[in-house]
Amino acid sequence: MEENKIICSHCGAEITDDDYSMVNGQIVCSECVEQHTTICDSCGAIIWTSESYGDDYTTLCHHCYQNHYTRCSICNLLLHEDDCYNLNGEDLCNDCYHDEVDKCRNIHDYSYKPEPIFYGESSRYFGVELEIDGAGKDDDNAEELLKIANFDGVKEQMFVKSDGSLDDGMEIVTHPMTLDYHKHFCWERIMKRAIALGYRSHQTNTCGLHIHVNRNCFGDSREEQDEVISRILYFVETHWNEMLKFSRRSEYSMNRWAARYGFEKTGREILDKAKKCSYGRYTAVNLCNYSTIEFRMFRGTLKYNTLIAALELVNAICDIAVGMSDEGLQKLSWSEFVSDINDTELIQYLKERNLYINERINTEEDL
């Protein structure tokens, strides 16, 4: 009986004297191995030259390339995972990483959270996160804005972070400040300079204005704080239409970035629902932070009156949540709420938005 012939799977030639190798489970003659295959530098496997990965210096099989290597997102250099740097979610080689760090000495990563410095004398503090877009995540621009805020003789009052939700911008963040301190802070100069540099905030589809309030201003214990926070949630849900109008956001934008929890008969029920469900931080009042609650519903702005009005509104909501009972808050109408407001910037803004006892005035363009 004639013995079974051994055939090269690549060229079809008959193989004699066991002169072959296995490539991907297939028999390949020594001539084809020499001409059409190579060896993975990582695992030593024989692979087809046409299916090799890597560069001029490193040959890799698909498995090793996918599982242990990447490429620098700037210069495209092949990198082993042990030699890779990560900056803002991007893989970088050593040279590009340090170049980018040197370029962005004034712009921190999104995760940057310094030890807070408190400015002003009060039990209630507000931290502002203001997103600006359209003129670049530019270190020189950030430096210009920081020089206005952090002048000689004053500790850091403001810092700048990168934000992946922006197209071509950055996020301005303040340390905790009292409402009065914010009113005397150099917001107007910062905003005018940002506009001159080409940034916009309201006039984008990306920017928000977020205001943090320290939880411990609502009470000493977690239970006391929850009582006040439940009334804040109840007010926001009860007056959702007015809050939407105040925010300058569309309903679509609000649902995407600052969704409501949904109305219930009591604030405690809304709070319980917020705690039981995984809403995440993209809610009108974000409760995910341990030390603060965050009002996220406002669209970004580079108009001084709009920013101060948002701070004054948050402060007024906190005031009634602290000072009123559940029953009193349930009876409070929007017109009754705004009739007790004495803050100049807030009254001006409410009139501009037709939210002040049916009184409307002309308004300047928001930027």
Side-chain angles (χ1 to χ4, degrees):
M1 181 182 294
E2 184 179 357
E3 295 184 3
N4 291 332
K5 294 181 180 180
I6 301 175
I7 304 298
C8 174
S9 62
H10 186 72
C11 69
E14 183 178 350
I15 300 172
T16 60
D17 300 327
D18 295 331
D19 190 16
Y20 64 88
S21 299
M22 301 298 293
V23 181
N24 293 336
Q26 296 178 319
I27 295 173
V28 181
C29 69
S30 58
E31 186 174 347
C32 286
V33 167
E34 184 177 347
Q35 294 181 2
H36 302 293
T37 70
T38 185
I39 296 175
C40 173
D41 290 329
S42 180
C43 69
I46 301 174
I47 58 174
W48 296 111
T49 303
S50 60
E51 296 177 359
S52 65
Y53 293 76
D55 56 17
D56 293 339
Y57 309 100
T58 306
T59 299
L60 298 170
C61 66
H62 180 264
H63 178 270
C64 290
Y65 179 76
Q66 288 291 103
N67 290 279
H68 303 295
Y69 285 80
T70 184
R71 289 188 179 275
C72 174
S73 63
I74 293 178
C75 70
N76 205 41
L77 180 70
L78 181 70
L79 299 169
H80 189 274
E81 58 187 357
D82 294 338
D83 301 322
C84 176
Y85 292 81
N86 189 275
L87 183 64
N88 299 327
E90 295 185 340
D91 294 331
L92 301 177
C93 68
N94 178 71
D95 291 344
C96 290
Y97 173 79
H98 287 98
D99 285 347
E100 289 300 299
V101 169
D102 289 342
K103 282 185 202 174
C104 295
R105 62 191 181 279
N106 293 305
I107 303 176
H108 298 282
D109 288 348
Y110 180 73
S111 59
Y112 177 71
K113 287 187 178 181
E115 190 68 26
I117 305 169
F118 292 84
Y119 292 95
E121 297 295 330
S122 176
S123 63
R124 188 179 300 163
Y125 291 86
F126 304 89
V128 167
E129 298 172 350
L130 175 61
E131 295 166 345
I132 58 176
D133 210 347
K137 191 179 79 172
D138 186 280
D139 196 70
D140 292 335
N141 290 348
E143 185 175 18
E144 285 202 42
L145 300 180
L146 289 169
K147 281 182 178 178
I148 298 172
N150 303 327
F151 47 85
D152 292 341
V154 176
K155 293 180 181 179
E156 179 185 71
Q157 300 183 99
M158 184 185 95
F159 53 94
V160 176
K161 293 169 42 174
S162 60
D163 191 323
S165 68
L166 304 175
D167 293 331
D168 195 26
M170 51 198 179
E171 183 177 45
I172 295 170
V173 185
T174 71
H175 282 274
M177 300 174 178
T178 64
L179 178 59
D180 187 61
Y181 200 96
H182 273 290
K183 290 181 178 180
H184 292 89
F185 184 56
C186 45
W187 273 120
E188 204 155 11
R189 289 175 57 206
I190 291 168
M191 290 175 159
K192 286 181 178 178
R193 188 59 194 148
I195 293 168
L197 290 169
Y199 290 100
R200 294 296 182 267
S201 191
H202 173 87
Q203 293 179 355
T204 71
N205 295 318
T206 54
C207 294
L209 164 63
H210 308 151
I211 299 174
H212 288 259
V213 185
N214 55 307
R215 283 178 179 259
N216 59 13
C217 75
F218 302 138
D220 296 328
S221 68
R222 211 65 176 178
E223 291 73 21
E224 290 174 334
Q225 294 168 20
D226 279 354
E227 284 295 325
V228 176
I229 292 170
S230 71
R231 289 193 282 272
I232 290 173
L233 298 181
Y234 184 84
F235 179 89
V236 170
E237 291 295 338
T238 302
H239 303 290
W240 183 258
N241 290 335
E242 289 84 0
M243 297 303 295
L244 179 62
K245 199 169 186 179
F246 190 103
S247 75
R248 292 165 291 113
R249 289 187 183 272
S250 65
E251 274 196 75
Y252 170 80
S253 177
M254 191 74 101
N255 289 334
R256 182 180 180 187
W257 301 111
R260 64 190 301 183
Y261 292 112
F263 181 77
E264 300 291 343
K265 292 181 180 179
T266 67
R268 174 55 70 174
E269 289 179 279
I270 301 172
L271 180 60
D272 289 343
K273 182 165 63 172
K275 286 183 174 182
K276 290 176 183 177
C277 299
S278 301
Y279 287 96
R281 64 190 178 94
Y282 294 107
T283 52
V285 184
N286 170 29
L287 306 178
C288 291
N289 303 301
Y290 182 80
S291 299
T292 68
I293 65 169
E294 180 189 18
F295 290 76
R296 291 181 55 89
M297 70 276 287
F298 309 113
R299 187 169 180 163
T301 184
L302 284 172
K303 183 179 173 185
Y304 175 78
N305 164 259
T306 303
L307 171 65
I308 299 302
L311 283 163
E312 290 175 340
L313 176 71
V314 170
N315 188 57
I317 293 172
C318 292
D319 277 345
I320 61 166
V322 169
M324 295 188 75
S325 65
D326 291 351
E327 294 75 17
L329 190 63
Q330 288 173 359
K331 296 176 183 177
L332 183 70
S333 67
W334 179 263
S335 60
E336 290 170 330
F337 167 67
V338 298
S339 66
D340 287 334
I341 288 172
N342 297 310
D343 300 296
T344 304
E345 301 293 344
L346 179 52
I347 291 174
Q348 170 78 11
Y349 183 82
L350 289 168
K351 289 179 178 179
E352 291 177 358
R353 304 298 297 171
N354 199 26
L355 288 167
Y356 189 75
I357 319 175
N358 296 325
E359 182 176 352
R360 178 152 191 177
I361 60 173
N362 293 329
T363 178
E364 295 179 6
E365 183 181 29
D366 217 319
L367 299 171

